[in-house]
Amino acid sequence: MGGVESRGILRKISDMLEVIMKRIDSLSRLDNASDSRRLEELSSAINRIQPAGLVERIQAIAQNVSNMAVRVEQILQNSMAAGRALRDGTTGQCEVPRDPRYPDCPGKVDWMRARWTSDPCYAFYGVDGSDCSFLIYLSEVEWFCPPLPWRNYTSILPARKSSTKRQAAFRADVSALLEQVGTGKESLSFMKRRIRRLAAQWGMAAQQLDAKLHGRWRDEKKILVHVGFLTEESGDVFSPKVLKGGPLGEMVQWADILTALYVLGHNLKISISVKELQGFLGVPPGRGSCPLTGPLPFDLIYTDYHGLQQMKQHMGLSLKKYKCHIRVIDTFGTEPAYNHEEYATMHGYRTNWGYWNLNCRQYMTMFPHTPDNSFMGFVSEELNNTEKHRIQMNKVRNMAVVYGKEASMWKLQGKEKFLQILHRYMEIHGTVYYETQRPPEVPAFVKNHGLLPQQELQQLLRKAKLFIGIGFPYEGPAPLEAIANGCVFLQPKFQPAHSSLNHEFFRGKPTSREVSSQHPYAEQYIGRPHVMTVDFNNSEEFEAAVREIMRTEVEPHLPYEYTCEGMLERVHAYVQHQDFCSPEAPLPSVNSSRTLQGSPIVLLPNSTLLGWASNATAPPCWPPLSALRLLLSTDGQSCVEACRGADLVCEPTFFRFVNNKDALSRLEVQCEAVEVETNHIFPAFSVLRRECGLQKDPLLFSCAGHRPKYRRMCPCRDVRPGQVALCRDCL
C-alpha cells in the first residue's frame, strides 16, 4: 500500500462511517411525541438498508478500519525509520545480535515487533517500530540486548545517585510529620491523633537511644512509605470502619512506623495513592510495562502486600531490579515455603499473598511470629512510676472488660457459659459499637459503653482488674495496652491450635504457623501473672483462673520491645544494618569438609553449644557471627522451637554458614549419604534413612520448617535483654 494513497482511502472510509454514526445518534435523541412520524420514516429507511444489526456492523467496520490505520501507521513509521537508517548509515548496525551472553535478545526483539504499541511507555522511551529503536530500548532502558557499539553512551547514561552520605539527626518535633500524613480519611485522622498523643514519649525515647549510641554516626536514608491498604485502588475497607469498631491494629502499627523513621531522622516521603506512588518512583506514562525513568530515588521502601502488588503493576522490570530495597509490613508473617514462587506452586504452598521471592527477612511482622521474618512491632503507652502507683491504688478488683469492639466478635459459640461464670464474680463491661439499638449478641448482664475514644478506653482499663479475650480478634495491640494499664489478660487456649489447615481465618495466609491461643505473644513472652491462658470449655479450669486473678496483685507491665525506645532501637538497627542488595561473600562449597582443627565452628567455652571460633575469620554479616549458637533439633521439631528451648532465637542469616558437611560433622551427625536438594526443611538429618540433606536454594532456608522423622540443623543466636529481634552485639 502506498503511504499517501492508503491514508486517503482510510480517511474517506472513516469520514463516511462517522456521518452514518452521527445520523444514527441523532435518531436516538428524537422526541417520540413531536417527531414520531419522522422517526418511523427514518427507521423504515434504515431497515430497508439493513434489517438487523446495522449499528453493530458499523461499529465492527469502524474497529477494523481503526486497526488498519494503526497497522498502516506502524508500516509508515518502519518505512521512515528505515529511511533514516539508510541516511544515517546504521542499517547494518541494527541487525539482531546473537550473543550467548544475551540469550533472550532475539526473542525480545520479536516480542517488540509484535507488541510495541501495546503500551504507550515504549513510545515514551523513543521506540518507533524500527529494529534500531527496539535494540536501543532493549539495551539501554531494559537489559536484554548487548550495548550497541555505535551509540554514544556518555551522553545517554542516567545521572548517578550522589554517594555523599548525610548523618541522621534525632527529631523531637513531629509537626512536620503530621503535615506529611495528610487529611481526607478517618484512618489518617486516627493515625495523626496517635502520633500527637505519643509525641512526648517518642522524644524522650530518642534522647535515651542517642545517649546509648554515644553519638555514633547514623546514615540518613531516603525512605518512601507507601501505605497500600489505605489507597482507593485497594478498596480501603479500613477507613470507613475506624469509628464503627473496625480493626485498628494495622493503623496503630503504620502510625508507629512513620513516627519511628521520622524521629530517627530519615528523609521520608509518604504515599497513600497510586498516583503519588507513580510520581515518587518516576513511573513513565503508560500501562506499567516499562522500567522507571531513572534510578530508584529511595534507599528503602516500606509498604504492604497491597502496595507490593501496585508496584508490580507500575514498575515493570524495575521491581525485580530494586526489590531488595523493599520492606513489606506483614501482620501475620510469610514463611519461606510460601515465599518461593516455584517451590510454593509445586508443593502446595501457593496462596494469594506469598510467592514474591524476597528474602524472608524483608517481611516485617506485628509480633515475633517466626524469626524467618523481621519483627517490626508497634508501641504501647508507657506509664511512669507515679501513674503506675495511682493505677494500683484505684483498681476495682471485681471489674472485667471484654476484648471485642464489633458485635460479630461476640458470636463465639459457648460464650454465654463462661461469661455467666465470670458474671458471678465480676461486673462485666463491654465497648461494642452500636448506632441506635444495643447489639443482641452482647448479653444483658454486660454493661456496654459503646465504642470509646482512646483516652476513655484507657481510663476504663486503668480501673478494671481483668481484660478477657473471647477468641477473636487474633494478636491485636489491645491486650498489651490492657496489661500496660495493670489488667490481667485472660484468654482462651485453642485445642487443637488454629492454623491455615483447620481454620477459615488463617486459610490463604502464607504461613503454616499454629496459633495456640488468641494472643500467642502474650502467652509465650509475658505469661503469668499478667497473662493466663486456659481452656474456656473447661468450666472448673476457667472458674479457678478467675478466682486466682481476683487474689493476685499485679503491676502495670510493658515489655521493653513495645516501648518507644525499644521500637526506635529495633528500627534503627534494621535501617542501618539490614542489607539485601549487596552481594554476599562467597562461601566454601556445601560439600567441603575440614579437619576439626581447621573448622571455624567450635565448642564454645563453658558451654555445650557450638559457635564461631573467636580466632576464625568471620565473613561480614549482620547479625555478627559472634552471636552464632549451633544445635540439632529433636525429631520433628522446628528450629524456632529448638532454639527457644535453649533460650535462644533461630537466626536465618546464619544458615549459609552452617549449610555444609563440616557443620554436620561438628554436630556429630553420622550421615550415610549427603544430598543437596531444594527443600524447606534442609539442612536436616533423616532419622529413618540416616541421610543428611543440605539446602540448594538460599531462599528456602527456614527456621519454621519441620517434618516428622527429620532433625533440623539449627543456627541460633543470643538475645539482647528485652529485645527478641536483636542479638547482644546487634545494635
Side-chain angles (χ1 to χ4, degrees), residues 337-340 343-351 354 510 512 680 707:
Y338 295 82
N339 170 65
H340 192 294
Y343 187 83
T345 303
M346 291 178 61
H347 294 86
Y349 294 101
R350 181 73 182 242
T351 70
S512 299
H680 75 286
R707 187 175 296 166

Side-chain angles (χ1 to χ4, degrees), residues 226 228 231 233-234 274 306-314:
H226 177 61
T231 61
E233 291 82 0
S234 72
V274 169
H306 294 286
L308 194 57
Q309 187 64 44
Q310 290 163 356
M311 283 191 277
K312 179 182 179 182
Q313 291 169 355
H314 296 281

Side-chain angles (χ1 to χ4, degrees), residues 213-232:
L213 295 174
H214 305 294
R216 188 189 311 167
W217 176 281
R218 296 179 302 112
D219 288 343
E220 180 188 299
K221 304 284 188 178
K222 294 180 180 178
I223 300 175
L224 172 63
V225 179
H226 177 61
V227 190
F229 81 99
L230 290 183
T231 61
E232 295 301 324

